[in-house]
Amino acid sequence: MTIHFIGAGPGAADLLTVRATRLIAASGVVIYAGTYLDAEVLSHASPGADLVDSQRLNLDDIIEVCQRAHADGKDVARLCSGDPSVYSALAEQTRRLDRAGVPWDVCPGVPAYAAAAALLGRELTVPEVAQTVTLTRAQARSTRMPETETIENVAQVGGTVVLHLAIRHVRRLAEALAAAHGAETPAVVVARASQPEQQILRGTLADIADQVDESGLTQAAVVLVGTALGSDDFIESHLYRSRRD
C-alpha cells in the first residue's frame, strides 16, 4: 500500500485537484492538519476511512500511523496544507518511510501564496518591476535559517517577497524589508485564503505590522511584499506585444 502526500490547497475543498480527491476517496486512512484545513476538505474521504488529526501528533506518531496502515493493507492520504513542496515537512517524513520500506508518492496542490495572489487579483511578476519571487519564512521557535538566508539577505534580492509562518514576527520582518525596499513598499497579509473566514490586510511596510496587531491574526497567513502588488506603471511583456511593433 502507498502513503500519498497530497497538496490539500489553502483550505477550500473545491481547490483540490481531481487526482487529490480520487486519492483521498480511495484511502483507508486520512491524516490531516485540523488547524489549517477547512473541515469540508474531509468530505472527499470515504465514509469508512479513519480520520486522524495531526495537529497534536509528533513525527514519530505520524510515521507510526502510516506504518500501521501499510501493515493493515490500507492506503494513506497524508494531507499537506498548500503544496507539499513548500514547508510541509515532506523530506523528513519520506526519509523515515524510505528507511521503513514503506512506498509513497506526491500529489501537488495549490500553494497558499498562489491562493493569496488570486484573491488579490495580482501577478507577482510584472515586466520590469518584479521578475523574481522569493519564498521564505521567519525564524523563531523553529529550526535555524541558513546563514545566507537571513531576512536582511533576502531583502537585497528585490522582486516580490512571500513570507510563510511569519505572521507573529511581521513587525521585525517589515522593519528589515523596509530598510532595503523602502517603508512605502506595498505589503499585504492574506489569512486563510479561500476559506469562509479569509481576511486581507493591505498597507505598506510602514503600517502593516500595526494592522496585524489590530486584527489579532496569529496563524494561517502569508505576508506578501513588493512593488508588483501596487504598481500599474509597467510595460507590456514581449509575449503579447503586437508583432507589428
Side-chain angles (χ1 to χ4, degrees):
M1 309 314 294
T2 302
I3 313 302
H4 304 292
F5 289 89
I6 298 171
D14 61 353
L15 280 181
L16 273 70
T17 65
V18 173
R19 179 183 298 179
T21 59
R22 289 174 177 169
L23 289 173
I24 294 170
S27 295
V29 177
V30 178
I31 305 175
Y32 67 99
T35 304
Y36 297 105
L37 294 183
D38 189 323
E40 190 179 348
V41 171
L42 299 177
S43 66
H44 296 294
S46 67
D50 296 328
L51 305 180
V52 180
D53 189 345
S54 65
Q55 63 178 310
R56 292 184 177 83
L57 303 183
N58 60 30
L59 182 59
D60 290 335
D61 297 331
I62 292 169
I63 297 303
E64 182 180 346
V65 172
C66 292
Q67 288 181 294
R68 187 166 60 246
H70 177 67
D72 291 340
K74 297 178 180 179
D75 281 348
V76 175
R78 173 63 172 113
L79 304 186
C80 307
S81 301
D83 180 80
S85 66
V86 182
Y87 306 121
S88 68
L90 174 70
E92 58 203 77
Q93 293 176 80
T94 56
R95 179 173 62 184
R96 291 206 184 190
L97 293 174
D98 284 342
R99 290 172 179 170
V102 178
W104 55 271
D105 57 27
V106 179
C107 175
V110 176
Y113 76 87
L119 190 59
L120 298 173
R122 280 287 178 176
E123 184 180 359
L124 304 184
T125 55
V126 177
E128 296 190 3
V129 174
Q131 291 292 284
T132 301
V133 178
T134 303
L135 307 178
T136 189
R137 66 168 176 84
Q139 179 183 343
R141 290 177 295 178
S142 57
T143 53
R144 290 178 298 174
M145 294 290 288
E147 292 182 4
T148 57
E149 296 180 27
T150 63
I151 192 62
E152 289 77 14
N153 287 340
V154 166
Q156 299 303 316
V157 175
T160 303
V161 178
V162 179
L163 295 155
H164 291 255
L165 308 172
I167 192 64
R168 295 175 184 265
H169 313 283
V170 67
R171 187 172 300 279
R172 170 174 59 85
L173 297 169
E175 290 173 355
L177 290 169
H181 291 235
E184 296 308 309
T185 301
V188 182
V189 172
V190 180
R192 298 192 179 276
S194 82
Q195 298 185 41
E197 63 272 31
Q198 67 187 17
Q199 189 171 354
I200 303 174
L201 306 178
R202 302 174 189 262
T204 67
L205 288 172
D207 64 19
I208 197 65
D210 289 337
Q211 292 192 48
V212 170
D213 286 345
E214 291 172 4
S215 71
L217 292 175
T218 59
Q219 64 180 9
V222 293
V223 183
L224 301 92
V225 177
T227 306
L229 298 173
S231 175
D232 287 323
D233 183 17
F234 54 87
I235 68 166
E236 295 179 347
S237 67
H238 286 284
L239 179 62
Y240 294 115
R241 186 174 297 174
S242 171
R243 296 179 184 273
R244 294 172 294 185
D245 289 352

